[in-house]
Amino acid sequence: MADPRFRGVIPPVVVPLTKDRELDVASFERSINRMIDAGVHGLFFLGSSGEVAFLNDDQRYQVLEEAVRIVDHRVPVLAGVIDMETERVIKQVERTQTFDVDALVCTAPFYALGGPKENERHFRVIREHAELPLFAYDLPVCVHTKLDPTMLVRLGRDGVLAGVKDSSGDDVQFRWLMLENEDAGHPLSLLTGHEVVVDGAYLGGADGSVPGLANIAPELYVKMWDAYQTKDWDTVKECQDLLARLMFMTRHVQATVGFGAGVGAFKTALWQLGVFETNAMREPVQPLVGDDVVQIVRTLKRCGFLDVTVAPRI
């Protein structure tokens, strides 16, 4: 059976920066405490929402060191060990395990793309070096490989994987993964990375969610999880509908795409809410400005997260 520690709402933590693009430790602490106080069940650091692809090793481990200190065992900590190929991931695993984290998360290899045989071997080799539970991160938009549900369940049944963070956006494949996992005795903890169809994942039996939007609205995601536990589907739908509307902040960004529009909108919202001091991004991504900031503020107000009388921070 899946490890019961890894269920519920586990936000992928967005990392605040100063205007000089250094880690803003005070804002980081404020944001982490805000999510824990809201009742989240874990936190995932060094994922795509944490801009891991833009960090050198020193920056990665500064984030992780501060994260572990701030969390202080209040919730489980999942840490990304994401890198291009197996040997580099092993090095990340070995160093990350010197920190007080609870689980490791890695993608398929990228740049030099392999097939199903190589992807399965990748996870099995990493398992040989991992003392902690290992999660597969299904993120084809970034690594250009979709992980096969049957392979994932086989790796779960063999004790290689403890779970899957599914950010594929492929709800059909995720539903098949949930069914195959159940047929195998539920060896994997299955977490959806969706923001806007978490209700559908819960209806299918998901073990939790890892939504970037939970950095902004942690209480609402926790409320939805609690309603799911009691099968209060009306409340689940009510929460999800409001969160889907809140996610509009990423849809109307004009200045950029990708991380700049998604994580950039999250950082801008947290800045406007007073959680972050800036909305700075890692190079070469630029922070959102002007009309993009205004529309994000408009969305926050429309969804009840910001008083209508508050002027945008510029």
Side-chain angles (χ1 to χ4, degrees):
M1 290 292 291
D3 191 324
R5 290 178 298 168
F6 307 116
R7 64 195 306 268
V9 180
I10 306 175
V13 179
V14 175
V15 178
L17 302 176
T18 66
K19 290 181 179 179
D20 296 326
R21 291 190 169 91
E22 299 294 330
L23 176 63
D24 181 348
V25 176
S27 293
F28 198 38
E29 188 159 358
R30 186 160 51 242
S31 183
I32 289 170
N33 287 333
R34 178 174 176 264
M35 288 187 280
I36 293 175
D37 290 345
V40 301
H41 307 92
L43 292 167
F44 171 36
F45 297 91
L46 300 177
S48 54
S49 293
E51 298 170 287
V52 67
F54 299 90
L55 304 180
N56 62 39
D57 282 355
D58 288 344
Q59 291 167 332
R60 285 190 187 209
Y61 296 114
Q62 182 192 15
V63 168
L64 197 54
E65 182 177 26
E66 293 294 346
V68 168
R69 176 188 65 80
I70 296 164
V71 173
D72 192 24
H73 302 284
R74 288 179 289 170
V75 296
V77 169
L78 288 74
V81 289
I82 297 160
D83 220 316
M84 288 189 295
E85 53 83 36
T86 307
E87 292 294 334
R88 292 174 66 92
V89 173
I90 289 169
K91 294 297 183 185
Q92 299 287 357
V93 166
E94 290 172 347
R95 187 165 177 186
T96 299
Q97 288 183 153
T98 66
F99 293 83
D100 198 1
V101 303
D102 299 283
L104 307 170
V105 185
C106 72
T107 67
F110 50 95
Y111 188 77
L113 301 180
K117 177 181 176 181
E118 290 78 16
N119 291 327
E120 182 165 349
R121 175 67 180 163
H122 173 72
F123 289 109
R124 289 187 183 275
V125 171
I126 291 167
R127 172 77 267 166
E128 294 171 4
H129 296 266
E131 300 167 6
L132 297 171
L134 179 65
F135 277 68
Y137 189 175
D138 196 3
L139 189 64
V141 68
C142 290
V143 305
H144 307 291
T145 297
K146 176 73 184 76
L147 299 177
D148 175 64
T150 301
M151 178 195 73
L152 291 169
V153 172
R154 180 167 59 249
L155 291 173
R157 195 173 54 241
D158 291 350
V160 175
L161 293 177
V164 178
K165 187 215 175 209
D166 185 283
S167 295
S168 68
D170 189 333
D171 296 328
V172 173
Q173 292 273 351
F174 190 59
R175 190 60 174 257
W176 286 338
L177 175 59
M178 287 189 286
L179 289 171
E180 290 194 46
N181 191 49
E182 206 61 36
D183 291 345
H186 209 111
L188 296 168
S189 178
L190 300 181
L191 309 172
T192 178
H194 254 304
E195 275 86 9
V196 298
V197 291
V198 177
D199 53 349
Y202 287 168
L203 185 64
D207 296 290
S209 59
V210 190
L213 193 63
N215 286 264
I216 298 158
E219 296 94 343
L220 202 50
Y221 277 104
V222 171
K223 181 179 179 181
M224 181 162 59
W225 170 260
D226 290 343
Y228 165 42
Q229 298 309 290
T230 62
K231 300 299 184 281
D232 178 1
W233 294 110
D234 287 341
T235 299
V236 169
K237 181 181 186 303
E238 177 185 325
C239 292
Q240 184 63 93
D241 283 349
L242 180 54
L243 288 162
R245 292 184 183 280
L246 185 62
M247 192 65 177
F248 280 8
M249 71 174 67
T250 67
R251 294 182 59 201
H252 303 306
V253 172
Q254 299 298 312
T256 186
V257 295
F259 281 98
V263 176
F266 293 160
K267 285 195 176 190
T268 300
L270 289 163
W271 172 44
Q272 295 300 315
L273 292 170
V275 181
F276 286 8
E277 292 299 323
T278 77
N279 64 339
M281 302 286 288
R282 295 283 182 185
E283 289 283 15
V285 183
Q286 297 299 299
L288 300 180
V289 296
D291 288 344
D292 284 332
V293 174
V294 171
Q295 72 85 12
I296 289 169
V297 169
R298 188 178 300 125
T299 300
L300 289 168
K301 290 180 178 180
R302 187 180 300 121
C303 294
F305 286 83
L306 198 61
D307 189 276
V308 294
T309 62
V310 173
R313 301 174 73 182
I314 302 298

